[in-house]
Amino acid sequence: MDVCVNGPKEKLDSTVISQPAIYVSSLAAVEALRADNKGQDIIDSVDVTCGLSLGEYTALAFAGVFSFEDGLKLVKLRGEAMQAAADATQGSMASVIGLDSEKVQALCDAANEDLAEGERVQIANYLCNGNYVVSGGIKGVEAVEAKAKSFKARMVVRLAVAGAFHTRLMASAVPKLEEALSATTFNIPKIPVISNVDAKPHSDPSVIKAILSQQVTSPVQWEATLKTLLGKGLQNSYELGPGKVIAGLLKRTDKTATIENISV
């Protein structure tokens, strides 16, 4: 709470702190909604949930797959393992604004032409049309920034993250996470939880554990997730947690979609 409120920002941005902080504040937002007038009715009406990257753990906790405490332990360990992987590989991430996914892939291919394997970049977050996050070695991200104008990108924004998340550069974080996941009790979800890895819900606890291990090194299929929800007739939605990024992505995918933000 102290770091969330008082900073410093650099400490809050570190993966070790930010992951537990986002998890706790997101589930605190659920309790804020529950305490509000008709909040419990809204919570009871929710029939599907999902979360972007770390938010998948929040969604799984909401769906009763594991306890708040077990989720927090997993998130803490995930943050530590990913920080260690980031320290070992020196990667970065950046949002590419104004291009479709095919052009961002072409931009990554151009950036990777003269780079060693460990410096190359890939699309790590498929957020929505016109907003894709690339991730990889620092030289690769710098090459994307240098070449972006020639591909007619509107802008490239470097992200305040510790490393090249959702790429092969996070591979060293997987064994520790797998060990912790195998030792944690998972239940069948009470409602479907859409996975970041394949944009599909899964009910088998062993499959959910395997997917959470894959998630660290796999691209986040958020664009496909939103299209799946909208295609199945999404009517009302709620963003529970800090910021309004998810609401923005949903609105950019479908301007008529309704979403309410709840944060603490």
Side-chain angles (χ1 to χ4, degrees):
M1 173 67 93
D2 180 57
V3 179
C4 285
V5 174
N6 301 313
K9 185 179 182 299
E10 295 74 24
K11 186 175 182 181
L12 187 58
D13 284 343
S14 73
T15 303
V16 174
I17 300 294
S18 65
Q19 294 204 31
I22 293 168
Y23 174 83
V24 172
S25 59
S26 297
L27 288 170
V30 175
E31 297 311 311
L33 173 60
R34 196 190 309 277
D36 194 25
N37 184 35
K38 295 188 178 178
Q40 186 63 54
D41 291 340
I42 291 169
I43 289 170
D44 291 341
S45 74
V46 174
D47 54 9
V48 64
T49 184
C50 54
L52 200 161
S53 189
L54 169 73
E56 189 166 343
Y57 285 78
T58 312
L60 289 165
F62 179 84
V65 173
F66 44 70
S67 68
F68 168 79
E69 293 82 1
D70 282 347
L72 184 55
K73 289 174 185 174
L74 287 172
V75 165
K76 179 177 182 290
L77 183 139
R78 181 181 186 266
E80 291 168 351
M82 291 175 72
Q83 184 69 57
D87 291 343
T89 55
Q90 298 298 303
S92 187
M93 301 178 77
S95 284
V96 179
I97 309 297
L99 299 179
D100 63 28
S101 59
E102 288 184 4
K103 287 179 182 174
V104 176
Q105 184 57 57
L107 173 57
C108 288
D109 293 342
N112 291 335
E113 280 179 359
D114 301 316
L115 294 176
E117 181 69 26
E119 292 289 353
R120 292 176 183 171
V121 290
Q122 66 182 73
I123 301 176
N125 291 347
Y126 291 81
L127 298 177
C128 68
N129 190 36
N131 188 351
Y132 300 95
V133 176
V134 300
S135 181
I138 291 173
K139 286 184 180 177
V141 173
E142 288 173 346
V144 165
E145 291 170 334
K147 295 175 183 288
K149 277 193 177 179
S150 66
F151 281 80
K152 297 187 166 68
R154 202 161 82 239
M155 68 175 82
V156 177
V157 182
R158 191 79 70 99
L159 302 185
V161 294
F165 301 146
H166 299 291
T167 72
R168 63 201 173 283
L169 296 182
M170 288 289 110
S172 63
V174 173
K176 285 183 179 177
L177 183 57
E178 282 180 332
E179 185 180 345
L181 287 166
S182 67
T184 305
T185 300
F186 274 40
N187 307 307
I188 296 171
K190 294 175 183 175
I191 57 174
V193 182
I194 300 178
S195 161
N196 283 193
V197 172
D198 60 7
K200 297 176 182 178
H202 300 275
S203 58
D204 185 334
S206 63
V207 172
I208 295 170
K209 289 182 181 185
I211 282 176
L212 288 178
S213 296
Q214 294 173 37
Q215 193 222 55
V216 175
T217 55
S218 300
V220 173
Q221 301 294 341
W222 194 251
E223 182 178 22
T225 296
L226 293 182
K227 287 181 178 178
T228 296
L229 291 170
L230 290 163
K232 289 185 178 296
L234 179 70
Q235 292 181 327
N236 299 305
S237 50
Y238 300 84
E239 178 177 12
L240 296 137
K244 297 184 178 181
V245 172
I246 302 302
L249 295 174
L250 180 62
K251 286 289 189 181
R252 287 187 64 176
T253 305
D254 183 347
K255 290 179 182 177
T256 66
T258 61
I259 185 164
E260 183 179 336
N261 297 87
I262 295 129
S263 59
V264 292

